[in-house]
């Protein structure tokens, strides 16, 4: 792998993880805030709130995982490496 | 002067739980049910809510196992054995990831105020292992890892019918 491809892959990996984590991070923070407030107001609905939070977090975190996988593929199984 | 209550109110001190299923173990729930004779007490309600969360995890786990078994059998029949092994490895990683995520969500508001990031080690380790072992394929492993999403969608679609049955 030549040096330009290596440098571009490393930069792209960093951008993929960094930019891909911004949106899910903000979303998870606000979702967790809402869930904790909801549990504090209605402790009897704790199970349902946690279940819904689990589902929404699983979908939100998959966006982070996409970026992570792209970064790891670029770093360890680069298809552009000659 | 404190008011006399039939049962102690639900306070954070009463809930010394740190995780989800570990803290909501069935023997603990049964002990609480035995100790308290009042069926309307807040403790029992809290135990019910906790067991509801655990049962949701168990339902998703069962659906995930069924989808994984179907996908592995289909890949053995229609692709090859290496792809099936990769798919199975990815599916196991997905189950572990989902378990860690559920545990992290179960501890929100009790022992931590944010979701942990420990579970993100799992897909990273999966990609690293698949990249290092030449017999494994990357694409089936990633598809297997994401097999928890169909199980979530199925559970989400089945949930209103389950609520109607219980009502």
């Amino acid at each position: 792998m030549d040096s330009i491809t290596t440098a571009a892959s490393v930069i792209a990996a960093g951008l993929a993880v960094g930019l891909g984590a911004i949106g899910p991070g903000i979303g998870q923070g606000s979702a967790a805030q809402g869930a904790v407030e909801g549990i504090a107001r209605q402790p009897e609905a704790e199970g349902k709130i946690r279940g819904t939070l689990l589902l929404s977090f699983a979908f939100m975190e998959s966006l982070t995982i996409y970026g992570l996988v792209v970064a790891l593929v670029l770093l360890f199984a680069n298809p552009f490496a000659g | 002067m404190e008011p006399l209550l039939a049962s102690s109110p639900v306070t954070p001190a009463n809930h010394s739980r740190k995780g989800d299923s570990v803290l909501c173990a069935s023997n603990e729930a049964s002990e609480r049910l035995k100790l308290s004779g009042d069926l309307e007490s807040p403790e029992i309600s809290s135990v019910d809510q906790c067991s509801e969360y655990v049962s949701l995890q168990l339902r998703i786990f069962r659906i995930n196992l069924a989808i994984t078994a179907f996908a592995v059998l289909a890949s053995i029949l229609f692709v090859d054995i290496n792809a099936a092994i990769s798919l199975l490895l990815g599916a196991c990683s997905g189950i572990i990831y989902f378990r860690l995520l559920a545990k992290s969500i179960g501890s929100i508001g009790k022992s931590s105020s944010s979701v942990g990031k420990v579970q993100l080690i799992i897909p990273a380790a999966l990609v690293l292992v698949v990249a290092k072992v030449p017999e494994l394929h990357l694409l089936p492993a990633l598809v297997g890892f994401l097999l928890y999403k169909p199980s979530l969608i199925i559970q989400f679609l089945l949930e209103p019918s389950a609520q109607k049955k219980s009502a």
Side-chain angles (χ1 to χ4, degrees), chain B residues 70-81 83-84:
Chain B
F70 177 74
V72 169
L73 283 177
S75 62
I76 287 173
L77 289 175
F78 296 112
V79 194
D80 66 338
I81 191 73

Side-chain angles (χ1 to χ4, degrees), chain A residues 5-80:
Chain A
T5 310
T6 306
S9 300
V10 170
I11 292 170
L15 287 175
V17 173
L19 294 179
I22 292 174
I26 295 171
Q28 284 185 359
S30 62
Q33 178 196 2
V36 171
E37 283 179 5
I39 291 171
R41 284 180 187 161
Q42 280 188 303
E44 67 273 9
E46 182 184 345
K48 283 181 183 174
I49 291 172
R50 282 192 194 279
T52 311
L53 190 67
L54 176 65
L55 294 176
S56 55
F57 268 34
F59 283 107
M60 273 191 277
E61 267 209 351
S62 62
L63 301 174
T64 311
I65 291 170
Y66 294 152
L68 185 67
V69 166
V70 167
L72 291 171
V73 166
L74 282 176
L75 289 178
F76 296 104
N78 198 328
F80 304 110

Side-chain angles (χ1 to χ4, degrees), chain B residues 24 33 43 47 63-64 78 96 107 116:
Chain B
C24 303
L33 286 170
E43 278 191 11
V47 169
I63 297 171
N64 202 349
F78 296 112
I96 295 170
S107 66

Side-chain angles (χ1 to χ4, degrees), chain B residues 66-151:
Chain B
I67 292 174
T68 301
F70 177 74
V72 169
L73 283 177
S75 62
I76 287 173
L77 289 175
F78 296 112
V79 194
D80 66 338
I81 191 73
N82 283 338
I85 293 171
S86 305
L87 191 80
L88 186 63
L89 183 69
C92 292
S93 307
I95 289 172
I96 295 170
Y97 162 80
F98 191 74
R99 176 79 190 99
L100 289 175
L101 181 67
K103 198 174 178 182
S104 174
I105 290 173
S107 66
I108 284 182
K110 294 169 184 170
S111 60
S112 70
S113 59
S114 64
V115 184
K117 293 292 175 195
V118 184
Q119 65 268 14
L120 289 178
I121 293 173
I122 303 293
L126 174 70
V127 173
L128 290 180
V129 168
V130 170
K132 294 295 175 189
V133 178
E135 285 82 17
L136 299 177
H137 304 303
L138 184 63
L139 196 59
L142 291 179
V143 170
F145 179 79
L146 293 175
L147 279 181
Y148 70 90
K149 292 183 94 170
S151 60

